[in-house]
Amino acid sequence: MHEAPPTPSGAPTTPAEPLQHGLKQRHLTMLGLGGVIGAGLFVGSGAGIAVAGPAIVVSYLIAGTLAMLVMRMLGEMSAAMPASGSFSVHAERALGRWAGFSVGWLYWFLLVVVLAVEATAAAQIAHGWVPAVEPWAWVLLFMVVFTAANLTAVKNFGEFEFWFASLKVGAIVVFLGLGVLAVLGWLPDTDPVGMTNLTGQGGFLPNGWGGVVSGVLTVVFAFGGLEVVTIAAAETDDPARAVGRAVRSAVVRILFFYVGSMLVIVTVLPWTAQQAGLSPYVKVLDTIGVPSAAQIMNIVVFVALLSALNANLYGSSRMVFSLAERGEAPRALLKVSGGSQGKAGGVPRRAVLASVAFGFVSVLLNLLWPDTVFLYMLNSVGAVLLFVWALIAASQLRLRARLEQAAPGALALRMWWFPYLTWLTLAGLFAVLVLMLTDDAARPQVLWSAGATALVLLVAVGRQWRERGNPAPADR
């Protein structure tokens, strides 16, 4: 049944979700902490160091602050109005059906395309360990295992993510501890490093502030994934309280993990010592004498990829389920296991299967035509995350004003310095998009993503015009 946007005379009401409330607070908290710690940090950060030098710390600080502000806004809305569709539901309530439809389908497409990258990368690592098994067989195994996990009780997804995230968070904490000891010269056969690597080799800003900006463009997308926390909150016993606690505990700690890691890396080693294609974490661990550092990081990256695959499959299934709830996706996807005959609800299995089916198509395209068809698909979602974040900020601007008038008590988690920081965040997102247009490598992503967004918006507007000419049934 489609829910109309709220009127200014009352606060938005959220109907009870027909899903299992099987996620615990520990699941959600660890999902928030580990959801964005992935291969983009462990491996991709090397590209950022190459363009920004030691100032990559500033790049991560800027990008992380932007992500933290978006997450705070999303947390505010999700605590007041928890829903499995999260920001898609919020966009519809704030801006209209076109916004909810567009952001929901764009985010779903983003997740199922990125899922193919993660499955393929994890398969390549596994193939290196067991060469007798072809990469396609590993991909098939991963997809089957995580599809099965997501078709069963939601607590299975929660347990998978809890332990995956625990390993990633543990790896970061150990790395930070070893790095600090190395900087102080407290490890065997090490001398205090001091500030030499931060000020030498061209100084802290070897490529100037232009390098910092290029670093931001390189690392900002590594913070994608936090949004799944607010989607998962709808399947906890107390969504409003759970999402508030998860957001509060996640945003600052994640910023600490990212910025702290980069500070350790560029302090222990000269930024010019980084090698293309080699994880800077491996380089640091090798330098301070950790045996089998490369294999250890391979295991951590492998777990990070599987964790992201699992989370993306979960997030995409819940998003398309929420779209179906609001009449924006086929109603056949509303089938929930155990939800008939008065039972409490269960798992949206058809939504899971629909998402994994497109995920399989993406994987096949990645395996068969990685440099043509799949590259175009990947470019078409390259900047979608920024569009999603911008709509989150725009939605928060309007819903916060409504909530303050109609139900101020629902604002258990508030955005700082509203509305000034919200406007500043929107300006920052616009600046990143403009800078991407001036960058030869990033420009195709913006243009293809803009094209994909325009196509979805065209469909959304066309649907609204058609429905105005053909009024929907009363139950919608």
Side-chain angles (χ1 to χ4, degrees):
M1 184 167 66
H2 181 77
E3 182 182 337
T7 60
S9 60
T13 58
T14 304
E17 291 283 0
L19 303 174
Q20 289 181 347
H21 290 178
L23 294 177
K24 307 297 182 185
Q25 182 65 53
R26 65 183 178 88
H27 295 146
L28 209 62
T29 299
M30 196 55 71
L31 179 61
L33 289 176
V36 296
I37 299 176
L41 174 64
F42 292 122
V43 179
S45 54
I49 296 173
V51 297
I56 189 64
V57 175
V58 179
S59 300
Y60 267 101
L61 190 60
I62 294 171
T65 299
L66 198 61
M68 183 172 64
L69 292 174
V70 171
M71 193 61 190
R72 185 77 181 191
M73 291 180 242
L74 185 51
E76 177 186 278
M77 294 185 291
S78 297
M81 299 167 290
S84 62
S86 186
F87 46 86
S88 175
V89 175
H90 305 151
E92 179 177 320
R93 288 169 172 163
L95 306 172
R97 289 187 62 183
W98 67 269
F101 176 92
S102 301
V103 74
W105 278 112
L106 282 171
Y107 193 70
W108 180 84
F109 184 50
L110 167 67
L111 293 185
V112 293
V113 170
V114 173
L115 183 151
V117 179
E118 292 151 350
T120 306
Q124 292 296 337
I125 294 175
H127 177 64
W129 292 333
V130 188
V133 181
E134 292 296 325
W136 68 264
W138 284 113
V139 169
L140 182 61
L141 175 63
F142 299 150
M143 297 289 278
V144 169
V145 168
F146 288 110
T147 299
N150 278 271
L151 287 174
T152 57
V154 71
K155 67 179 181 180
N156 293 335
F157 160 78
E159 285 299 320
F160 267 112
E161 282 305 300
F162 177 82
W163 293 110
F164 280 156
S166 296
L167 190 148
K168 292 187 290 183
V169 170
I172 291 286
V173 171
V174 171
F175 177 82
L176 289 174
L178 289 173
V180 170
L181 292 177
V183 170
L184 297 174
W186 291 354
L187 290 177
D189 302 321
T190 60
D191 297 318
V193 177
M195 305 292 289
T196 303
N197 293 326
L198 293 177
T199 57
Q201 308 294 328
F204 186 74
L205 292 164
N207 297 320
W209 285 102
V212 173
V213 171
S214 297
V216 171
L217 299 183
T218 302
V219 306
V220 67
F221 297 100
F223 290 91
L226 275 170
E227 309 85 14
V228 177
V229 176
T230 58
I231 294 174
E235 294 183 72
T236 61
D237 290 330
D238 189 351
R241 182 168 177 266
V243 74
R245 291 180 62 182
V247 169
R248 287 189 187 97
S249 66
V251 289
V252 175
R253 295 180 191 179
I254 287 169
L255 196 58
F256 171 74
F257 288 154
Y258 272 72
V259 176
S261 294
M262 291 305 106
L263 187 58
V264 164
I265 290 169
V266 296
T267 303
V268 171
L269 289 175
W271 70 275
T272 53
Q274 301 299 331
Q275 299 176 14
L278 179 64
S279 167
Y281 288 78
V282 172
K283 190 71 175 176
V284 169
L285 293 176
D286 275 334
T287 300
I288 63 180
V290 175
S292 304
Q295 281 304 319
I296 291 173
M297 286 310 302
N298 258 346
I299 294 172
V300 174
V301 171
F302 180 72
V303 170
L305 289 166
L306 293 185
S307 171
L309 194 160
N310 190 37
N312 285 352
L313 180 54
Y314 170 84
S316 60
S317 66
R318 269 45 177 190
M319 182 58 74
V320 78
F321 174 79
S322 175
L323 288 166
E325 276 189 311
R326 290 172 281 138
E328 311 292 9
R331 297 186 66 82
L333 299 177
L334 286 175
K335 180 68 175 178
V336 176
S337 64
S340 60
Q341 299 178 349
K343 293 183 180 179
V347 177
R349 290 180 175 173
R350 291 183 181 178
V352 171
L353 292 174
S355 298
V356 80
F358 197 88
F360 269 114
V361 171
S362 298
V363 168
L364 286 174
L365 294 175
N366 192 17
L367 293 173
L368 296 174
W369 301 290
D371 298 323
T372 53
V373 178
F374 186 75
L375 180 61
Y376 295 139
M377 286 180 60
L378 197 58
N379 279 335
S380 69
V381 299
V384 161
L385 182 66
L386 296 179
F387 299 154
V388 169
W389 283 2
L391 274 173
I392 289 172
S395 302
Q396 191 262 346
L397 274 174
R398 179 164 291 188
L399 289 182
R400 170 68 175 265
R402 290 182 184 177
L403 284 167
E404 285 184 333
Q405 289 183 353
L411 291 168
L413 183 73
R414 291 174 178 262
M415 175 62 182
W416 306 294
W417 295 340
F418 176 82
Y420 308 109
L421 278 183
T422 303
W423 281 112
L424 184 62
T425 302
L426 278 169
L429 293 170
F430 179 74
V432 171
L433 284 170
V434 170
L435 290 169
M436 289 180 71
L437 282 172
T438 64
D439 184 86
D440 291 338
R443 189 182 303 114
Q445 296 181 16
V446 178
L447 297 177
W448 277 92
S449 297
T453 302
L455 179 61
V456 174
L457 284 171
L458 187 64
V459 173
V461 173
R463 283 168 55 86
Q464 283 198 237
W465 283 350
R466 187 176 70 249
E467 289 180 1
R468 285 175 183 172
N470 300 282
D475 69 338
R476 293 191 57 195

